[in-house]
Amino acid sequence: MPILSLLSILVFGLLSSSQLLIVNAQILNDQLTLLAIGEELKLSDWSVKNNVTDHCSWPGIYCSSNNSLVERLDLSNHGLQGNITLISELKSLKWLDLSFNNFHGNIPFSFGNLSELEFLDLSFNNFGGSIPNEFARLKHLQALNVSNNLLVGVIPDELEGLKKLQELQVYTNRLNGSIPLWVGNLTNLRVFTAYENDLSGVIPDKLGLYSELELLNLHSNQLEGSIPESIFAMEKLETLVLTQNRLTGVIPESMGNCKGLSSVRIGNNNLTGGIPREIGNISGLTYFEADNNNLSGEIVKEFSRCSNLTLLNLASNGFTGIVPFEFGLLSNLQELIVSGNSLFGEIPTSILRGKNLNKLDLSNNRLNGTIPESICNTSRMQFLLLGQNSLRGEIPHEIGNCAKLLELQLGSNYLTGNVPPEIGHIKNLQISLNLSSNHLHGKLPEELGKLDKLVSLDVSSNQLSGIIPAALKGMLSLIEVNFSNNQFTGPIPSFVPFQKSLNSSFLGNKGLCGEPLSNSCSLNDSDGNSYHHKVSYRIILAVIGSGLAVFASVTVVVLLFMMREKQEKAAKDSTTEDADEISNKPVILAGNVFLENLRQAIDFEAVAKATMKDSNKLSTGTFSAVYKAEMPSGMILSVRKLKSMDKTVINHRSKMIREVERLSKLCHDNLMRPLGFVVFEDVVLLLHHYFPNGTLAQFLHDSTTSDEYKPDWPARLAIAIGVAEGLAFLHHVAIIHLDISSGNVVLDSNLNPVVGEVEISKLLDPCRGTASISAVAGSFGYIPPEYAYTMQVTAPGNVYSYGVVLLEILTTRLPVDEAFGEGIDLVKWVHTAPSRGETPEQILDARLSTVSFAWRKEMLAALKVALLCTDSTPAKRPKMKNVVEMLQEIEQT
Ligand SMILES: *[C@@H]1O[C@H](CO)[C@@H](O)[C@H](O)[C@H]1NC(C)=O
Ligand SMILES: *[C@@H]1O[C@H](CO)[C@@H](O)[C@H](O)[C@H]1NC(C)=O
Ligand SMILES: *[C@@H]1O[C@H](CO)[C@@H](O)[C@H](O)[C@H]1NC(C)=O
Ligand SMILES: *[C@@H]1O[C@H](CO)[C@@H](O)[C@H](O)[C@H]1NC(C)=O
Ligand SMILES: *[C@@H]1O[C@H](CO)[C@@H](O)[C@H](O)[C@H]1NC(C)=O
Ligand SMILES: *[C@@H]1O[C@H](CO)[C@@H](O)[C@H](O)[C@H]1NC(C)=O
Ligand SMILES: *[C@@H]1O[C@H](CO)[C@@H](O)[C@H](O)[C@H]1NC(C)=O
Ligand SMILES: *[C@@H]1O[C@H](CO)[C@@H](O)[C@H](O)[C@H]1NC(C)=O
Ligand SMILES: *[C@@H]1O[C@H](CO)[C@@H](O)[C@H](O)[C@H]1NC(C)=O
C-alpha cells in the first residue's frame, strides 16, 4: 500500500512538466523524511496507513497550499525524545516548534541547512552543548527560542548575520560570556530575554537604539555597568526586567519617554541616584520594583500620575523624606513596600483610602507619627507591616476593622496604652502578630484566644501584666510565642505550644511559673495567691543570676553529650557503608518528621540520597520534581524536591519550616499533608505518603487506550467532587493553590483523589522572587487568561484551573492538544463547540456518555459546571464551595 502511494506520486510527477517533477520529487522526499522521523520519534499517527497520499494531513504538519511542501512542523508538548537530525532534510521548512519535549544531546548542526526557516523554537527540552554556529546560515530567521535547556558556552558571534531576528530568547540555560555587541545592531529586535544564565559584562550600549525593543528581560545574571539609555530610545519598551545583577549608575531620565512601559523590575542591583521625576510620564506603569539598591533622595510624588500603578517596591534603599500625600491618588495600588529606608513623618492617611491596598510595608524606617484610626478603612489589607519605626500613641481600637489581615507587625516602636481586645476580631490573622518592644501595659485581652489560625505571637519586651489568659488556648495553630520581658504573673497555662517553647519565651517576667520555666508553681498558686510563688521565683532568679556560669557549663555538657551521641551514630552508620559512599554523604542541614509514630521509619540521609538518582524520579512539575524513596525500614515515601532556583525558599528557611509545620496540621481527606521535611545543601525536600496508583493525569490519559479500559463515569464524578472539596477547603483557610493540574492530583487505592503541591503556594511568594512571573502561574493549559496581565494568583484563577481538570475528566482529552487547531486549547475548543455546530454530546467522551441516558444526563450537567468554572471573566466563575454543591447535586439525582 505505501509503496503504491509513493509510486502514484512519482508517476504523476513524471507525467507533469519538468518543474513540477522537481517539486514532486521534493514532496516525495518530504514524505520519506517524515516517515523516517515518525519512526525515530515513535509518532504512530505518522504513517501512510492513515491517509494514503497526503502527509500534509498528518498531525502537526502544515504544507504550503500551492505546492504541498512541508512548511510548518509543530511537535511541541509530546514528551518526545530521539534523534532529530533528519528534520533538516525538510528543506522548505519555515516554522519548526519542538518545545516542551525531552530532547537531549547537542542541537543538530544540520539545522543550519534549513535555509528557509523563519521560526525556530527548541525551548523547554534538555539540549546540552552550545548554540550551534551553523545557525548563522538561517538568514530568514525571525524568532529563535532555545530557552530552558542546559546550554553552555557563549552566545556565538557568528549569529551576527541574523539581521531579521525579531525575537531572541535564550533564558534559563547556563550560558556565560557577555551579551554580544551585535544584539545591539539588530534593527528588527522586539523581544530579547536571557535571564537566569551566567552572563557577565555590560549590557551593549546600542541595544534598542535601532529597533523597537518591547521586552528586555536579563534578570539573574552577573551583568555590570549601567542601564543603557538606548533601550528607551525608540520609546516602545513595555517590560524591563534587570533584577539580580550587579548594575551600577543611575536610572536614566529617558525611561520617562516610554509611555507604554508597564513593568519595571530593577531590584537587587547597585543602582545609585534618585528616581527621575519623568517617571510620572509613564502613564501605563503597573509594576515598579527597585528594592535593594543604593537609591537615595525623596520618593518622588510624580509616581502618583501613574494611575495604573499596582505595585511599588522601593525597599532597602536610602530614601528619605515622607511618603508623598499624593499617593492617595493611586487607586489601583495593591502593594506599597518602602521598608528599610530613612522615611519619617506620619503614616499617610491618603493611601489608606485606596480600595485595593493589600500590602503596606513601611517597616524599618523612622516614621514618627501615630497609627491613624482610619488604618483599615480599606477592607482588602492583608499585610500591615509597621515594625521598627518610631511610632507613638496607642494602637487604635479600629485595628479590629482589618478583617482580612494575615500579618500585623507593630514591633519596635514607642506605642503605649493597652493591647486593644479588637485585635481578637481579626479572624484571618495567621502569619504573625508582633507587638514586641513597645511600651504597652495592662492585661492581655482574652479575645486574642479567638485567633485560631495564628502561627506566631510576640508580645515580648513591653510592660504587660496580669496572668496569661487561659483563653489563649484557643490559638490552635500557634507554633511560636514570646511573652518574655514583661510583668506577667501566675502559672503558664498548660497548652502544648507554650510548654514546647523555649523557656526564653517566658523569661524576664516578675511572677510566671510552670513549664517550660524551671520554677514549678506550688499547689496553692493556681487560685491566684502568688506569694509563695514569688518567693520561689526570686530564689530561682537568684540561682540563675549567681549561677550563669553553672547554666553555661550545663549547656556545654548537654552539647557535648549530643555531639558524642551524633558521632557514635555516624561511626555506627559508616561501618555499614562503603568507604567511597561516605564522601558522597549528603550534609543534612535540617529535618523533621511531624508524626511521632513515623520518626523511627524515616531516615533523612536515605531520603536525600533517593533524590540524587534519576531512576527514582516519578514526575516533574512547574516548581518541583517528585521522587520515590525507599527507607531502610521498608517504608516508601514520595519526596518532593523544590527546584533550587527558588532562592526565596532557601533564604527564608525558618519561615518555610514554620509554614510546612502549619500545613502538616491542615487535615482534609483530599489534600496531601506534608509528613516532614529535609534540607540539605541548597535543596529542600518535602516528605509525603507514597501513592502507588499514580496521578489523575495518568488515570485519564494513560489507561484509556489500554485494553483493560472500563468506562466508569460514577468513579470519575466522585474524583471530580473530591478534588473540588479539597480546593474548597484550601480556599476556606485562605490558601490559594499555585499549580492545579491533573498531574498534581494523586489517587489512593480507593480512587480517592488527593490534591498535592499545596505547600508550594505557601513557600513561594510570587511578588518577591526573581523567578519569572510565568513560573508562578502554573501548568500549561491550566493557566487562567487573566493571569497574563494581573500577574496575581487568585481564588477565581484556581476555579478556572479546576474547570480545566473537570473538562479533562469529561472529555478524556489533554488540556493542550494540537488536534484542537492552532492556538486552541481544551477550554477554547469546548467553549466554541456551538459555533462549530457541534452539540455538547460530541465533546464528551463518547465511551462514557453513550453507556446510559442517566450517565449522559449527569455528564451534561457536569459540563455546565465546567463551562461556568472556565468563564473568561473571573467574577463570573462560581466559588469552589458552590462547585462542590453543584456536583454533589448531580451525584444525588
Ligand atoms: C486524506 O487526506 C485528504 C486530503 O487532506 C482528505 O480529503 C481525506 O479525507 C483523507 N483521508 C482519510 C482516510 O483520512
Ligand atoms: C507558492 O506560494 C508562495 C507564497 O505563498 C510563493 O512564494 C511561491 O512562489 C509559490 N510557489 C509556486 C510553485 O507557485
Ligand atoms: C542521528 O542521525 C544521523 C543520521 O540521520 C546520524 O548521522 C547521527 O550520528 C545521529 N546522531 C546520534 C546522536 O545518534
Ligand atoms: C547539512 O549540514 C551539515 C552540517 O552542518 C553539512 O555537513 C551538510 O553538508 C549539509 N547538507 C546539505 C545538503 O547542505
Ligand atoms: C519561544 O520564543 C518564541 C519567540 O519569541 C515565542 O513565540 C514562543 O512562544 C516561545 N516558546 C515558548 C514555549 O515560550
Ligand atoms: C554595528 O553597526 C555599526 C554601524 O551600523 C558598525 O560600525 C559596527 O561594526 C556594528 N557592530 C557589530 C558588533 O556588528
Ligand atoms: C555598590 O556601590 C557602592 C558605591 O557606589 C560600593 O561602595 C559598594 O561596594 C557596591 N556594592 C557592591 C555589592 O558592589
Ligand atoms: C490602565 O489599565 C487599563 C486596564 O488594563 C487599560 O485599559 C488602560 O489603558 C491603562 N491606562 C493607561 C494610562 O495605560
Ligand atoms: C519626625 O521627624 C522629623 C525628622 O526627624 C522631624 O522633623 C519631625 O519634627 C518629627 N515629628 C514629630 C511629630 O516628632
Side-chain angles (χ1 to χ4, degrees), residues 91 109-110 113 134 137:
K91 293 282 185 275
F109 299 151
S110 59
N113 295 352
E134 285 77 3
R137 307 214 303 271

Side-chain angles (χ1 to χ4, degrees), residues 81-92:
Q81 46 188 341
N83 187 337
I84 50 172
T85 305
L86 270 178
I87 291 177
S88 60
E89 301 283 318
L90 300 169
K91 293 282 185 275
S92 303

Side-chain angles (χ1 to χ4, degrees), residues 344-346 366-369 392:
F344 54 80
E346 295 277 345
R366 296 177 193 159
L367 297 182
N368 52 358
R392 301 166 288 111

Side-chain angles (χ1 to χ4, degrees), residues 259-260 282-286 305 307-308 332 789:
K259 304 278 187 298
I282 312 179
S283 48
L285 196 63
T286 308
R305 288 166 50 204
S307 59
N308 274 0
N332 287 306
Y789 56 89

